[in-house]
């Protein structure tokens, strides 16, 4: 239900910051859809581990099937698109001052972004596929920036939640 109280600074910050991540994710998804080949090559090289140190103890992890590589890339794009839509909806709810539902939807969307960039790109890409070893196909800095920014926005979203009153003594 929309509230009729004046908008607080934290709610306004949550609105603007959530909309910023929504815009970013929408542009990322749009870019990956309209310029499919650019990041497709990135995903292929990371999964193939062809620019890593080629340590024989790690290379068994490499995925060299282009079909599997492309399926992973399409999965990433779908995840980005859904996250963008959830965040756009959350931003719309913030703008309508439906803070409870906005916070919930924004939390879902921000966690989707953090899972993709944290678990997906930093954890799986960076460590499992040793992306950190590549001078050419290393997206860890960019993934870390998005992960941290989304985390800050998630904190702001949660800070704007009403606090329960302590029981009277």
């Amino acid at each position: 239900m929309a509230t009729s109280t004046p908008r607080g600074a934290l709610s306004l910050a949550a609105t603007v910051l959530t909309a910023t991540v929504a815009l970013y994710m929408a542009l990322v998804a749009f870019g990956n859809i309209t310029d499919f080949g650019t990041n497709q090559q990135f995903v292929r090289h990371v999964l193939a581990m062809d620019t890593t140190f080629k340590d024989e103890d790690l290379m068994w992890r490499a995925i060299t099937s282009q079909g599997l590589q492309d399926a992973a890339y399409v999965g990433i794009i779908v995840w980005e698109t859904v996250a963008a839509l959830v965040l756009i909806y959350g931003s719309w709810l913030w703008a309508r001052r439906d803070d409870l539902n906005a916070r919930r939807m924004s939390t879902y969307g921000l966690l989707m972004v953090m899972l993709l960039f944290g678990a997906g790109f930093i954890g799986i890409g960076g460590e499992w596929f040793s992306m950190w070893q590549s001078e050419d196909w290393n997206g860890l800095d960019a993934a870390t920036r998005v992960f941290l920014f989304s985390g800050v926005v998630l904190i702001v979203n949660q800070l704007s939640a009403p606090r329960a009153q302590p029981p009277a003594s």
Side-chain angles (χ1 to χ4, degrees), residues 6-82:
R7 185 148 205 109
L10 279 174
S11 291
L12 179 59
T15 305
V16 171
L17 291 172
T18 301
T20 301
V21 179
L23 173 65
Y24 174 76
M25 289 307 297
L27 291 173
V28 167
F30 180 76
N32 284 337
I33 292 166
T34 60
D35 183 20
F36 189 85
T38 299
N39 282 328
Q40 176 189 37
Q41 292 307 308
F42 188 96
V43 170
R44 282 183 174 177
H45 285 288
V46 169
L47 296 180
M49 299 174 67
D50 57 2
T51 60
T52 64
F53 301 161
K54 295 194 170 70
D55 182 338
E56 64 186 49
D57 293 329
L58 299 178
M59 291 306 293
W60 63 271
R61 300 175 181 177
I63 297 174
T64 56
S65 163
Q66 287 190 353
L68 289 176
Q69 293 168 345
D70 291 347
Y73 183 47
V74 169
I76 290 168
I77 294 171
V78 168
W79 190 270
E80 291 167 343
T81 302
V82 172

Side-chain angles (χ1 to χ4, degrees), residues 91-135:
S91 299
W92 181 75
L93 291 169
W94 279 117
R96 292 198 52 212
R97 299 183 180 201
D98 184 357
D99 291 6
L100 181 64
N101 289 318
R103 187 173 299 102
R104 184 174 58 245
M105 293 308 298
S106 297
T107 297
Y108 296 154
L110 292 163
L111 288 174
M112 289 180 72
V113 173
M114 294 181 77
L115 278 170
L116 177 63
F117 285 87
F121 298 150
I122 297 170
I124 296 170
E127 288 302 317
W128 184 257
F129 291 106
S130 300
M131 182 171 55
W132 65 270
Q133 295 179 2
S134 178
E135 291 182 25

